[in-house]
Amino acid sequence: MWTTGSTRTRRRVPDRHARGLLDTSVVIDLERHEAEDLPRELAVSAVTMAELAAGSHATTDTRKRAERMLRLQHAEATFDQLPFDSDAARAYGRIYAAVISAGRKAPGRRALDLLVAATALSNELPLYTQNSEDFTPLAGILEVVTVQLAPVEAPRRLQHRPPHD
């Protein structure tokens, strides 16, 4: 996890969980995250796997579809998949109540995010996400860890230099 002292300096937070649940945004961009910013043992929800499976069918672009299928297959082979079970269903009730009591609308397009959060809560795991603002109402009941994408190094550009005389 990064904290920012200014726009130019960053320092790493030394706190690293033994295990945590990654939300779909983190799984999609997994290769762009620093390992030190993630828990030592990674888990994902079956809901995330469903989102990844749906994502491969949500495009007509054959290249994107192939990339998304590879991501799904890699995730299936790599992660401990936690089910959305009866404990998660009960946790979802608590999460839904927290969202409503915070004055937010009933979950619509973010309903799957809340199901992932319920999976984390029922398994007593912190939730790692790139979109922490989506989980603000859950601050009192679920530990949400914000992860940022690692900076991408800009490619070196050739500079035009005039010929020597």
Side-chain angles (χ1 to χ4, degrees), residues 3 8 15 21 26 30 35 46-47 64 69 76 87 96 100 113-115 126 145 148:
T3 57
R8 293 179 185 240
D15 192 2
L21 187 80
V26 177
L30 189 61
V47 176
K64 283 184 183 178
M69 285 300 292
E76 288 172 336
D87 291 337
Y96 183 89
I100 298 302
D113 290 338
L114 299 182
L115 294 175
V145 180
Q148 297 175 349

Side-chain angles (χ1 to χ4, degrees), residues 148-165:
Q148 297 175 349
L149 295 175
V152 177
E153 291 187 27
R156 296 180 69 191
R157 296 178 190 253
L158 296 175
Q159 294 180 356
H160 174 70
R161 295 184 182 188
H164 287 80
D165 289 330

Side-chain angles (χ1 to χ4, degrees), residues 14-78:
D15 192 2
R16 189 170 177 204
H17 294 97
R19 189 168 190 228
L21 187 80
L22 307 182
D23 92 342
T24 308
S25 67
V26 177
V27 174
I28 288 171
D29 290 323
L30 189 61
E31 68 281 350
R32 295 183 57 204
H33 290 287
E34 299 285 344
E36 299 82 23
D37 293 339
L38 299 173
R40 287 184 211 89
E41 183 181 340
L42 310 176
V44 298
S45 170
V47 176
T48 290
M49 300 308 286
E51 287 185 279
L52 293 176
S56 64
H57 298 287
T59 182
T60 57
D61 182 301
T62 56
R63 186 184 58 74
K64 283 184 183 178
R65 179 173 286 161
E67 288 172 1
R68 291 175 182 183
M69 285 300 292
L70 281 173
R71 182 179 297 120
L72 171 63
Q73 291 169 351
H74 177 72
E76 288 172 336
T78 302

Side-chain angles (χ1 to χ4, degrees), residues 1-15 37 146-148:
M1 176 169 42
W2 293 99
T3 57
T4 310
S6 73
T7 55
R8 293 179 185 240
T9 61
R10 290 181 167 186
R11 56 187 161 78
R12 203 169 288 286
V13 176
D15 192 2
D37 293 339
T146 304
V147 292
Q148 297 175 349

Side-chain angles (χ1 to χ4, degrees), residues 49-131:
M49 300 308 286
E51 287 185 279
L52 293 176
S56 64
H57 298 287
T59 182
T60 57
D61 182 301
T62 56
R63 186 184 58 74
K64 283 184 183 178
R65 179 173 286 161
E67 288 172 1
R68 291 175 182 183
M69 285 300 292
L70 281 173
R71 182 179 297 120
L72 171 63
Q73 291 169 351
H74 177 72
E76 288 172 336
T78 302
F79 296 113
D80 177 17
Q81 200 176 135
L82 301 177
F84 188 84
D85 57 14
S86 59
D87 291 337
R90 283 186 167 255
Y92 180 76
R94 290 180 58 203
I95 285 174
Y96 183 89
V99 169
I100 298 302
S101 69
R104 293 212 179 165
K105 292 181 183 177
R109 65 182 187 90
R110 292 287 179 207
L112 294 177
D113 290 338
L114 299 182
L115 294 175
V116 171
T119 305
L121 182 61
S122 69
N123 285 277
E124 299 178 352
L125 295 173
L127 177 65
Y128 284 72
T129 182
Q130 292 173 187
N131 309 315

